[in-house]
Amino acid sequence: MEAIISNFGYVLEGFGTTLLLLIYGGLGASIIGVVVAFMRISPIGALRVTATAYTELVRNTPLTLVFFLIIIVLPVLQLGVPSFTGAIIALSVYTSPFVAEALRSGINGVPLGQAEAARSLGLNFSQTVFSIIMPQALRMVVPPLINVFIALTKNSSVASGFRVVELVAVSKVLANQNGDQVIPLLIGIALFYLVITIPLGLVAGYIERKVAVLR
Amino acid sequence: MSASVLYDAPGPKTRRTSNIISAIVTAAVVILLGWFIFALGQPRTTANGAELVGLWDASRWDIFFDPDDAGELWEGLLWRGLVLGTLRAAGLAAVLALILGFLFALGRMARHAWIRIPVTIVLEFFRGMPVLLMMLFIMLGLSVGAYPAVVGALAIYNGAIIGEALRSGVAALPRGQAEASLSLGMTRMQTRFLIEFPQAFRQMLPIIVAQLVVLLKDTSLAYIVAYPELLRTSTTMKDYYGSGNYSFSFFFVTLVIYLAVNLTLSWIARRLARNRSGQAVGARRRGNKSRGAAPTPPPGQIGVDTSLLSIGQPDGMTGRSRPDTGK
């Protein structure tokens, strides 16, 4: 614990990087995920197939491999980006199918009659989706989405293996300097992750209970 | 039936529009992929002036079929990397995770608060931190090699998640199950292991199998702690067999091997989930709950969960109509 207290600024810096990875990665994943989710429920066959192929491909690729492609393979092709940007891209791409699947499960949870009623009133596809389906689906989707973001927080640790100095990378440096305090270090660094994940989990549980009452 | 099904049958006007958009999208995807493949094949120069030939000719796919190197190379990738590295770690971790899962579930459901509360805190701690962090610290803190660290971290983390799944499975069981077994004179442990866990395990099997697939995917984290799994082996092989130009072929072969293994496993997981839906104890009850229109049992049957009797029997034999789950 002493090692963390004496290097608190350094640890905070790493924590900041983890937070930035979470925020930018989450935003990127949400944007790609929303697009993929809409593609998957669209009436256009080609879009559905493309989105399904993308989801299956990315979901079955390990995160390390995505990082490896973006940070180690692409620079050889002169398509490289700085490590931090690369980490954000890798996290966004890897998380996006999970966001899309969560959104889709929420949309599938809306009774079919809602969409049929909207169609029979003369609304077109986008009107049906945006004014009828989405408002109902979003409420149900929040808890699984938060779970996806909790996983994203933990996945951001993989960036430490690819030249990004976030919490785990910081802890690796500190553990090498203070070989006698490794276990207290582990607990200290893990607490920083818990600071993010436990409140998110509580929010998810709260919203889940609220939605359950509303239904 | 899902909302998306509605859009499969659009009206005539929508159908015409969607055909046009379909054609445009397909053309765009084909052009984009074609450009990507073409661009990656172009020669490039690096910052320090070295010439790199493009991906497709430079990366020398023939190295994988070269009689001199191929045998050793495939043996390295598939046997040392995939089987001895990835699958060995994942297999042992999966077995340990299942055992730990039962223990964690038992601890979290313990009657005494002085067992339950510490176990809960430890579980939350394990679930809330990254596997990679745990791997690193088992390695550095306990001064063990990479293999025990990887297996230990994966087993603890996934054990915690499987434990939670089992606990929620037990919580979803009808109370009468435990009450009946206790009234038959079984001890609490017997009730847990002979009555509750088998049912919960059965009900949660798809979730547990899906988690084991995630475990296999997570073994690639071992790349970072330098455990020789598939990705690490393939980079070692790349360094051994040639310059940076080879990296693409090695990268893509690794990707294809991962995809083949993971897609097969997640297909099995999906099959398992589909085969069991509608048969599981909980699936039918959940179906009843989520649909408001599900038939309620006749008064004489209240308190008797007939769905339990109908396992493995065709519907209609239990005197209770199949709830309309919409499937």
Side-chain angles (χ1 to χ4, degrees):
Chain A
M1 228 20 134
E2 212 182 296
I4 287 188
I5 294 164
S6 52
N7 294 294
F8 201 66
Y10 187 42
V11 175
L12 268 191
E13 222 171 274
F15 184 59
T17 314
T18 296
L19 272 182
L20 281 183
L21 283 176
L22 168 64
I23 292 166
Y24 289 137
L27 275 179
S30 306
I31 294 168
I32 307 174
V34 166
V35 173
V36 172
F38 281 142
M39 279 166 77
R40 274 200 86 160
I41 59 160
S42 79
I44 299 153
L47 286 181
R48 277 203 307 269
V49 171
T50 314
T52 313
Y54 173 81
T55 307
E56 283 301 312
L57 190 74
V58 178
R59 262 211 310 194
N60 285 295
T61 310
L63 178 58
T64 327
L65 209 61
V66 181
F67 264 97
F68 191 78
L69 168 69
I70 290 174
I71 296 183
I72 294 180
V73 175
L74 286 189
V76 185
L77 285 174
Q78 297 184 330
L79 294 170
V81 285
S83 296
F84 184 66
T85 322
I88 291 170
I89 296 174
L91 285 172
S92 304
V93 168
Y94 181 78
T95 315
S96 61
F98 297 98
V99 172
E101 286 296 285
L103 280 175
R104 202 171 66 100
S105 76
I107 291 167
N108 283 347
V110 176
L112 187 58
Q114 297 284 324
E116 281 170 350
R119 293 294 281 222
S120 75
L121 285 173
L123 302 187
N124 61 24
F125 171 71
S126 50
Q127 282 171 328
T128 310
V129 169
F130 286 106
S131 6
I132 309 293
I133 310 269
M134 275 323 269
Q136 301 185 58
L138 276 181
R139 227 174 39 195
M140 280 185 268
V141 146
V142 175
L145 265 189
I146 290 179
N147 285 336
V148 169
F149 290 130
I150 290 176
L152 170 65
T153 313
K154 288 184 281 181
N155 282 339
S156 69
S157 66
V158 177
S160 70
F162 296 90
R163 302 195 290 265
V164 178
V165 187
E166 43 67 80
L167 264 181
V168 171
V170 166
S171 76
K172 231 192 296 189
V173 173
L174 289 184
N176 281 336
Q177 287 170 0
N178 308 278
D180 52 331
Q181 309 174 29
V182 171
I183 296 297
L185 255 176
L186 158 75
I187 295 170
I189 298 288
L191 285 181
F192 276 94
Y193 278 100
L194 294 181
V195 164
I196 306 176
T197 54
I198 287 185
L200 278 180
L202 291 179
V203 169
Y206 172 73
I207 293 174
E208 206 160 65
R209 276 196 302 280
K210 241 186 128 173
V211 170
V213 170
L214 282 173
R215 283 170 83 197
Chain B
M1 193 180 287
S2 60
S4 63
V5 174
L6 178 72
Y7 310 126
D8 286 344
K13 196 182 157 211
T14 324
R15 194 173 302 137
R16 203 165 48 245
T17 333
S18 73
N19 279 345
I20 296 168
I21 302 178
S22 249
I24 294 172
V25 170
T26 314
V29 169
V30 167
I31 290 172
L32 235 150
L33 276 180
W35 171 81
F36 192 63
I37 290 169
F38 172 78
L40 293 190
Q42 294 308 299
R44 289 158 203 281
T45 38
T46 57
N48 49 18
E51 175 111 346
L52 282 176
V53 244
L55 161 59
W56 305 111
D57 38 71
S59 55
R60 290 264 318 276
W61 296 94
D62 54 326
I63 192 176
F64 291 100
F65 306 102
D66 189 348
D68 292 337
D69 295 330
E72 203 181 324
L73 204 133
W74 283 111
E75 195 209 319
L77 278 180
L78 288 179
W79 178 248
R80 262 182 286 156
L82 182 66
V83 178
L84 289 187
T86 299
L87 291 182
R88 190 169 64 129
L92 185 56
V95 173
L96 290 178
L98 282 174
I99 298 170
L100 277 178
F102 275 106
L103 292 179
F104 281 144
L106 208 62
R108 273 214 65 169
M109 293 186 300
R111 236 180 341 154
H112 303 290
W114 51 268
I115 300 179
R116 196 175 58 235
I117 291 170
V119 170
T120 310
I121 292 171
V122 169
L123 270 184
E124 284 299 320
F125 186 73
F126 284 151
R127 287 202 314 158
M129 83 172 161
V131 196
L132 182 61
L133 190 67
M134 213 186 298
M135 275 182 203
L136 276 175
F137 277 92
I138 293 180
M139 220 166 107
L140 299 173
L142 304 182
S143 309
V144 290
Y147 181 63
V150 167
V151 170
L154 285 173
I156 292 173
Y157 178 76
N158 291 287
I161 289 175
I162 290 174
E164 277 299 279
L166 277 176
R167 191 185 62 90
S168 67
V170 171
L173 286 177
R175 270 178 67 96
Q177 294 288 317
E179 283 167 1
S181 89
L182 287 175
S183 76
L184 285 174
M186 288 187 175
T187 63
R188 271 182 191 279
M189 276 299 136
Q190 281 173 327
T191 307
R192 284 261 188 269
F193 277 101
L194 299 177
I195 307 294
E196 288 181 340
F197 277 153
Q199 293 186 56
F201 189 74
R202 191 183 136 85
Q203 191 173 318
M204 288 291 152
L205 196 59
I207 294 176
I208 290 171
V209 174
Q211 192 56 42
L212 295 182
V213 176
V214 173
L215 186 154
L216 187 101
K217 236 172 60 166
D218 277 352
T219 49
S220 71
L221 291 176
Y223 170 79
I224 295 167
V225 294
Y227 171 68
E229 47 75 67
L230 180 55
L231 187 56
R232 181 58 78 177
T233 314
S234 84
T235 50
T236 319
M237 295 253 130
K238 181 210 76 176
D239 292 340
Y240 180 71
Y241 276 98
S243 63
N245 280 347
Y246 287 106
S247 59
F248 310 108
S249 32
F250 277 91
F251 174 76
F252 281 112
V253 166
T254 312
L255 180 63
V256 167
I257 296 174
Y258 264 121
L259 281 180
V261 174
N262 287 334
L263 281 171
T264 314
L265 277 177
S266 52
W267 177 74
I268 293 173
R270 259 205 309 277
R271 274 291 297 268
L272 216 57
R274 196 172 52 224
N275 280 349
R276 299 168 30 77
S277 65
Q279 274 186 30
V281 178
R284 187 162 297 180
R285 254 200 347 244
R286 271 202 298 281
N288 262 339
K289 223 186 273 171
S290 65
R291 300 279 153 175
T296 45
Q301 286 187 5
I302 286 180
V304 182
D305 193 348
T306 46
S307 65
L308 285 172
L309 303 174
S310 67
I311 299 169
Q313 286 179 20
D315 293 297
M317 285 181 68
T318 54
R320 180 178 174 185
S321 63
R322 184 185 164 81
D324 177 24
T325 52
K327 290 234 166 82

